[in-house]
Amino acid sequence: MNDTEFHQLVDVQMQIIEEMIDDSGADIDYETSGNVMTLEFEDRSQIIINRQEPMKEIWLASKSGGFHFALVDDKWTCSKSGLELIAMVKQECEKHCAEEIEWQ
């Protein structure tokens, strides 16, 4: 995959995350600046999601630690847990909110 393809694929994931948050009604603010998306919670804790272009990976940092996601069989998959990116974002947002979130 070249850099352009990588960025297009990551853009899709970032858009899905934004839509999930908007549709959930959860009290989560998000902002994207350059290659970094920051999710901020009521208690001021954050989840940072960023593109690692040289590695062709998406990295996520949260209370639970740091996670790397590579494209495997057309799915962004965590090298530690095997979870897909969207599932991990949901899981970590619920940890930061300390409650279940109704995801669409």
Side-chain angles (χ1 to χ4, degrees):
M1 136 180 44
N2 65 35
D3 290 346
T4 302
E5 292 168 331
F6 169 73
H7 285 289
Q8 289 172 340
L9 291 168
V10 175
D11 286 345
V12 168
Q13 295 301 299
M14 297 299 193
Q15 184 66 38
I16 290 169
I17 292 167
E18 289 177 8
E19 290 171 3
M20 273 182 6
I21 291 169
D22 289 342
D23 292 346
S24 75
D27 188 13
I28 304 170
D29 294 323
Y30 61 85
E31 179 180 7
T32 302
S33 179
N35 290 334
V36 179
M37 173 185 271
T38 304
L39 311 181
E40 188 167 326
F41 299 85
E42 192 174 349
D43 66 357
R44 295 290 199 218
S45 65
Q46 296 181 333
I47 293 175
I48 308 296
I49 304 168
N50 66 319
R51 305 163 194 247
Q52 292 296 317
E53 186 177 322
M55 308 284 291
K56 301 289 189 279
E57 292 182 342
I58 300 172
W59 289 5
L60 182 149
S62 74
K63 289 180 178 182
S64 301
F67 304 91
H68 298 184
F69 297 82
L71 195 60
V72 178
D73 297 327
D74 294 325
K75 297 176 183 172
W76 291 99
T77 305
C78 178
S79 61
K80 285 183 185 176
S81 68
L83 280 176
E84 288 184 46
L85 175 65
I86 299 304
M88 177 72 78
V89 170
K90 289 178 183 179
Q91 176 182 292
E92 293 305 307
C93 284
E94 289 180 343
K95 287 180 184 178
H96 281 259
C97 288
E99 65 183 24
E100 271 192 51
I101 299 170
E102 287 296 322
W103 301 99
Q104 301 297 334

